Amino acid sequence: MERWLISRRAEEQKKTTITITASPTRGIEPTIALTERLGAKARRRGGEPSSLCVVPHLSARLIEDEHHLEEIVARLKEAGVEEVFVIGGDAKEPRGRFHDALGLLEALEELGRPFERVGIAGYPEGHPSIERAELERALRKKALYASYVVSQLCFEAKKVLLWARRVRELGVGLPVVVGVAAPIDPKRLAGVAAKIGIGDSARFLRKQRAKSLLRLLSPGRRRSALSLVYEPGGFLEELVEEGSREGLLASSGGTEEGGGMISGLHLYTFNDLQRTLEWVREEKKMAQREGEKRRRG
């Protein structure tokens, strides 16, 4: 069993994937402009543009109309973008005629499906302002235009796996990418969790933080500030262990209903990319050491 899930697609294509979020207060323009700059930077370095997979978030409530969408699509195609992530967005009021992700997906369909891959969001713990039944109806409809679904933040692996099963029961056959919080200060993470309406996970986080403090104060413990940083190791271990047992991971090769549906991870960095990269490097080293141990028997 692999220590962590690894995106099969990323491994096959040897790409570095970066997603660019959209701010409801700043609008969609900074997202598009940053995507253009990253595409240009990759080309200036002399490397193949495809070595960097930039995935901008297209927030429906920040796009004015079909003409605005056409302009955005043209700019992204010029920047070499072949994959986008379509969401409704957190803006209280839509800036134009698109109120949700489904409407934007339908508009992209009318433009001839300009992108090779389209990601959509799923909500293991529901949404603060949308009923669960409505979320499920929307997911079925959105799936017709999408390539994969990424789960919203959740800190309980069993809840994510239960939701993944439910996705299959709904008849949605898309690969599932599990959204995971990268290492971050627990207080800040709890604030994010409360903001996006994942109350159960917020309570779970508070318990985890209390346990971390107790461990830090235990005799013989090294008192490092890093000990107080949330890191997703426990979540991932449970996800891999339980997911493998249920045959839900792509690496487990399950063939029954729902088998092999979880294809990778999406790390939410909260704009702390450096800390995330350091954590990923450490985890890779640890996985290599464990692999060498297994080979030596």
Side-chain angles (χ1 to χ4, degrees):
M1 183 175 69
E2 297 294 331
R3 179 177 174 80
W4 307 127
L5 300 170
I6 297 174
S7 168
R8 178 179 294 175
R9 184 174 63 86
E11 280 292 291
E12 289 173 350
Q13 299 183 357
K14 304 298 181 186
K15 287 184 177 180
T16 299
T17 300
I18 299 175
T19 59
I20 311 295
T21 57
S23 165
T25 57
R26 300 179 64 194
I28 196 71
E29 177 57 30
T31 301
I32 306 305
L34 179 56
T35 301
E36 291 176 320
R37 290 200 298 275
L38 288 173
K41 190 173 182 180
R43 285 191 290 271
R44 280 200 302 272
R45 284 181 175 177
E48 293 294 329
S50 59
S51 65
L52 183 66
C53 181
V54 182
V55 182
H57 285 207
L58 296 186
S59 177
R61 297 167 78 85
L62 298 179
I63 297 175
E64 296 169 6
D65 53 26
E66 289 83 352
H67 179 65
H68 189 197
L69 179 61
E70 286 183 30
E71 289 181 347
I72 290 171
V73 168
R75 290 172 63 184
L76 294 179
K77 296 296 290 183
E78 178 66 23
V81 171
E82 294 297 345
E83 181 173 339
V84 295
F85 190 71
V86 175
I87 55 173
D90 295 326
K92 291 183 179 179
E93 297 295 332
R95 301 211 174 171
R97 84 164 199 85
F98 300 116
H99 290 241
D100 54 31
L102 179 60
L104 192 62
L105 288 165
E106 291 171 340
L108 286 171
E109 179 75 8
E110 292 178 5
L111 291 178
R113 293 200 175 204
F115 301 104
E116 291 182 5
R117 290 173 54 81
V118 175
I120 57 174
Y123 301 88
E125 287 196 80
H127 190 282
S129 59
I130 305 174
E131 295 292 331
R132 185 169 293 275
E134 179 56 33
L135 278 178
E136 292 185 349
R137 281 194 293 273
L139 180 60
R140 284 199 297 265
K141 293 178 180 176
K142 291 190 299 182
L144 299 175
Y145 308 103
S147 313
Y148 60 92
V149 55
V150 179
S151 64
Q152 178 63 281
L153 271 183
C154 180
F155 303 98
E156 296 183 67
K158 289 182 180 178
K159 190 166 288 187
V160 172
L161 295 171
L162 183 65
W163 168 78
R165 283 283 192 195
R166 179 61 181 161
V167 169
R168 278 297 186 269
E169 290 172 0
L170 293 171
V172 175
L174 298 177
V176 169
V177 178
V178 176
V180 179
I184 185 177
D185 172 71
K187 186 176 180 180
R188 185 182 174 205
L189 186 52
V192 173
K195 184 178 179 181
I196 61 178
I198 48 176
D200 289 346
S201 281
R203 284 188 286 276
F204 178 78
L205 269 184
R206 283 196 288 272
K207 291 179 182 177
Q208 291 298 100
R209 192 182 184 203
K211 290 178 181 177
S212 296
L213 285 169
L214 287 174
R215 285 198 298 271
L216 187 64
L217 296 173
S218 298
R221 283 284 181 184
R222 183 163 59 93
R223 300 189 178 191
S224 165
L226 291 176
S227 300
L228 294 177
V229 172
Y230 168 84
E231 63 94 12
F235 171 88
L236 291 173
E237 287 177 357
E238 186 176 2
L239 183 76
V240 171
E241 183 176 344
E242 296 286 336
S244 294
R245 185 158 52 239
E246 297 183 35
L248 290 174
L249 308 187
S251 57
S252 65
T255 56
E256 60 181 290
E257 185 178 356
M261 64 186 299
I262 297 178
S263 63
L265 301 177
H266 173 93
L267 287 170
Y268 293 100
T269 67
F270 309 104
N271 295 326
D272 194 346
L273 192 57
Q274 185 60 40
R275 177 181 281 175
T276 301
L277 289 173
E278 290 172 359
W279 178 80
V280 169
R281 291 190 189 106
E282 287 300 314
E283 291 301 318
K284 284 184 175 180
K285 289 178 183 176
M286 189 179 299
Q288 289 173 350
R289 287 196 293 269
E290 290 181 354
E292 291 171 0
K293 279 185 180 178
R294 286 197 297 270
R295 284 193 292 275
R296 289 197 298 266

